[in-house]
């Protein structure tokens, strides 16, 4: 394995190594389970509507599968279905901004919290992008072969990982709820 296949991911328990899984290993039962779980998330969040492929302009998907090394995890593999938003026509006209805190702002907030004795907590929102605002444009996606949808396309209804405004759609939903 090369170092390119490893990266660090944060968790409430600190940083832990994660390894990218080669597509040749997608046939492993644990990887298949992770892929099936990700497709189930797309379905449960009603992130798409299955439509007939009538030659609509569509963009492909790709899997990002990682092996997790954090102790206590029930699932050793995590699969993320990413839309190839980089191939979407007209992506340059889509508003994609969403606020993020700079490193300096985070450091300052942590310094103030430590100085004042505040308890600092963090959280994780599972499948965040799939819970974003509804899309206001049509994006047709070629479903992954594991979805068993030959002759069909997915019309995205929600934000998803990989589309240019996925982060913005999640931010809009979050700011509405907070």
């Amino acid at each position: 394995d090369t170092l390119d296949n490893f990266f660090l991911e944060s968790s409430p328990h600190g940083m832990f190594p994660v390894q990218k899984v080669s597509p040749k290993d997608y046939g492993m039962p644990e990887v298949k389970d992770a892929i099936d779980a990700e497709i189930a998330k797309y379905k449960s969040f009603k992130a798409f509507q299955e439509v007939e492929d009538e030659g609509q302009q569509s963009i492909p998907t790709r899997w990002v599968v990682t092996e997790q090394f954090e102790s206590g995890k029930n699932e050793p593999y995590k699969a993320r279905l990413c839309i190839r938003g980089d191939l979407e026509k007209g992506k340059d006209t889509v508003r994609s901004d969403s606020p993020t805190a700079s490193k300096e702002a985070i450091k300052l907030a942590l310094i103030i919290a430590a100085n004042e004795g505040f308890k600092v907590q963090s959280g994780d929102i599972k499948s965040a992008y799939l819970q974003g605002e509804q899309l206001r444009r049509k994006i047709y996606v070629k479903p992954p072969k594991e979805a068993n949808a030959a002759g069909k396309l997915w019309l995205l209804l929600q934000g998803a990982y990989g589309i240019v405004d996925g982060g913005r759609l999640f931010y809009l939903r979050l700011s509405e709820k907070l």
Side-chain angles (χ1 to χ4, degrees), residues 7 9 18-21 64-68 76-79:
F7 57 95
E9 188 170 286
V18 175
Q19 182 178 7
K20 296 176 191 174
V21 176
V64 176
V65 180
T66 54
E67 184 175 2
Q68 304 178 92
Y77 293 93
K78 178 179 177 181

Side-chain angles (χ1 to χ4, degrees), residues 12 15 45-46 54 63 68 70 91 95 99 121 136 164 173:
M15 301 294 280
F45 288 115
K46 297 177 176 61
E54 298 171 344
W63 286 109
Q68 304 178 92
E70 183 180 13
K91 69 177 184 266
R95 187 170 176 187
Q121 292 184 310
R136 294 188 176 105
V164 72
R173 172 63 58 84

Side-chain angles (χ1 to χ4, degrees), residues 3-39:
L3 231 51
D4 292 340
N5 288 334
F6 285 90
F7 57 95
L8 292 177
E9 188 170 286
S10 64
S11 81
H13 310 293
M15 301 294 280
F16 63 96
V18 175
Q19 182 178 7
K20 296 176 191 174
V21 176
S22 170
K24 67 179 172 33
D25 295 327
Y26 287 7
M28 294 171 40
E30 300 92 344
V31 174
K32 283 183 175 183
D33 290 346
I35 287 172
D36 291 344
E38 179 73 356
I39 292 171

